[in-house]
Amino acid sequence: MQTHAGLKRTVPIDSPQFLESITMLNQRRRIALAAWRSILERPTSRADLERKYHELLSAADGMEKEGLINGEEWRKLARKAAACFDETKY
């Protein structure tokens, strides 16, 4: 039986529940990434840049722990957060 690792329970790939679970997982992923982007794009004063950076990393950590993103995707988000921090802190 093949299963999807990102799911909390084991579901056969050929079952309707699997497709529904994948759809729900993809929807949660889209929502989480949209929330991450809204944090990134939120106007921030220089005084709050470090807090915003840590908020972005924390959001990325949460997505990785939930199985919504993998390690490579986490690193991309972390690099974007760092780039935003570096560009705007001066």
Side-chain angles (χ1 to χ4, degrees), residues 10-89:
T10 303
V11 179
I13 284 181
D14 57 352
S15 72
Q17 293 86 4
F18 176 78
L19 294 177
E20 183 179 330
S21 296
I22 292 297
T23 301
M24 289 175 16
L25 187 67
N26 286 337
Q27 183 178 7
R28 287 179 42 224
R29 174 187 162 90
R30 282 192 303 274
I31 291 168
L33 287 170
W36 190 92
R37 275 190 301 277
S38 72
I39 295 168
L40 180 69
E41 295 169 355
R42 181 178 64 213
T44 305
S45 68
R46 287 183 186 206
D48 290 332
L49 282 176
E50 189 171 345
R51 185 173 49 121
K52 179 179 179 177
Y53 172 73
H54 289 290
E55 190 177 349
L56 288 166
L57 290 182
S58 178
D61 288 343
M63 285 187 279
E64 185 180 30
K65 286 177 186 169
E66 289 184 41
L68 301 176
I69 61 172
N70 60 34
E72 182 180 334
E73 292 166 318
W74 182 94
R75 285 185 292 281
K76 286 179 183 178
L77 293 178
R79 282 192 295 269
K80 285 183 181 182
C84 176
F85 180 72
D86 288 341
E87 289 172 6
T88 56
K89 72 177 181 179

